[in-house]
Amino acid sequence: MAEVDRVYCETQKRNPKVRAEDTATVTLRHASGAVSVVECTYEARRIPDAFPEVLLEIEGPVGSIVVKPGEKMVVTTQGLSFEEHIGSPLLSWTTRPWHVSQEAVRNTNAHMLDALRAGRPADTSAKTI
């Protein structure tokens, strides 16, 4: 979808027991002209709640990609649809459903530690290293 040119965000405090905002809705305008909406909340009322999974929907000119709970992805294009499992394997030290987050945090921390030891800034962009 290309780099983000503009960002607009609205936050809410839905749970009075939380000191700060617990919900954010972000609209992104990409350099390609695409628009994305990101919704994040600690106060979801869904049953079952998919947290900590990340759900995603992308609608394009010739199809869609939907990431659903249970590490499933549905791709639809040219009138056809298929589903596949996209979860990563459990490592000896990870547990479901946290395993993707656990591995990502470990990898991020390892990268930042390597950068610190090398005396260079850590890469915090979304680009592939």
Side-chain angles (χ1 to χ4, degrees):
M1 290 187 277
E3 292 295 318
V4 174
D5 284 341
R6 290 192 308 251
V7 176
Y8 175 77
C9 180
E10 286 283 340
T11 59
Q12 292 179 299
K13 182 176 178 175
R14 294 172 56 198
N15 183 340
K17 295 178 183 176
V18 175
R19 288 187 180 191
E21 294 84 359
D22 51 36
T23 302
T25 303
V26 184
T27 303
L28 308 167
R29 166 69 69 173
H30 299 269
S32 67
V35 174
S36 334
V37 177
V38 179
E39 295 179 305
C40 305
T41 184
Y42 292 107
E43 289 299 314
R45 302 287 190 253
R46 295 179 191 98
I47 298 176
D49 186 356
F51 184 81
E53 291 188 74
V54 174
L55 308 182
L56 171 75
E57 293 187 30
I58 300 173
E59 290 284 339
V62 296
S64 67
I65 299 171
V66 178
V67 177
K68 299 169 29 174
E71 303 171 351
K72 296 175 188 166
M73 178 178 69
V74 178
V75 177
T76 303
T77 185
Q78 300 175 356
L80 302 172
S81 186
F82 66 90
E83 180 175 299
E84 70 180 68
H85 183 266
I86 58 169
S88 61
L90 285 176
L91 302 174
S92 62
W93 51 274
T94 61
T95 55
R96 287 194 190 281
W98 303 96
H99 64 296
V100 176
S101 298
Q102 289 168 327
E103 186 176 6
V105 168
R106 183 206 165 279
N107 292 342
T108 299
N109 287 337
H111 169 73
M112 292 186 168
L113 182 58
D114 288 345
L116 178 67
R117 287 179 174 158
R120 61 177 162 69
D123 184 358
T124 57
S125 74
K127 296 177 183 176
T128 304
I129 297 174

